[in-house]
Amino acid sequence: MDRVALRGLKARGNHGVFPRERAEGQTFIVDLVLGLDTRPAAADDDLTKTVHYGVVAEEVVDVVRGEPVDLIETLAERIAQQCLKHEGVEEVEVVVHKPDAPITVPFDDVTITIIRSRV
């Protein structure tokens, strides 16, 4: 299986369990790895035979900006399901970064990584 990766997609969302997170929002960063067979697209040099990563990026940003959830696990699952709606995408790895998580000690990042595939 081939891989198409998008790294560092950024969007503000109002996700989190604390009222301040819901009211003020924060930046989330998303990394994706889409698993698909790119041979048909490469053979014909045809965008319609692969995943349009620009469209995927816009959809992922819309999910992050969309309906708030408590957990980044839920957010990652929503992103994965959106990616799997694209014909040809057989698997997706989603990493959601929450660099401004409400943690009281110094830290660099909080992430959740999930891998989902078509059933």
Side-chain angles (χ1 to χ4, degrees):
M1 192 173 312
D2 304 318
R3 305 276 182 226
V4 173
L6 291 91
R7 307 262 188 231
L9 297 171
K10 295 180 185 176
R12 282 193 71 79
N14 294 73
H15 311 290
V17 296
F18 298 112
R20 182 175 176 191
E21 293 177 292
R22 292 293 183 105
E24 296 178 12
Q26 60 192 295
T27 299
F28 293 85
I29 302 166
V30 178
D31 302 323
L32 301 173
V33 179
L34 307 169
L36 65 152
D37 183 358
T38 63
R39 289 176 292 191
D44 295 336
D45 197 28
D46 187 348
L47 177 61
T48 66
K49 295 182 178 180
T50 188
V51 64
H52 190 311
Y53 51 79
V55 170
V56 172
E58 291 172 0
E59 292 172 351
V60 168
V61 165
D62 286 345
V63 172
V64 174
R65 290 178 178 161
E67 180 184 345
V69 296
D70 288 344
L71 303 177
I72 58 173
E73 292 86 344
T74 306
L75 181 60
E77 185 66 34
R78 287 184 177 179
I79 292 167
Q81 294 309 314
Q82 181 62 46
C83 292
L84 289 171
K85 289 180 182 178
H86 288 268
E87 187 176 336
V89 175
E90 295 295 324
E91 181 179 89
V92 61
E93 177 180 305
V94 177
V95 181
V96 175
H97 301 257
K98 189 175 179 180
D100 299 320
I103 297 175
T104 60
V105 297
F107 74 103
D108 289 330
D109 200 4
V110 172
T111 67
I112 176 73
T113 302
I114 65 169
I115 299 172
R116 298 291 182 267
S117 59
R118 292 186 184 273
V119 179

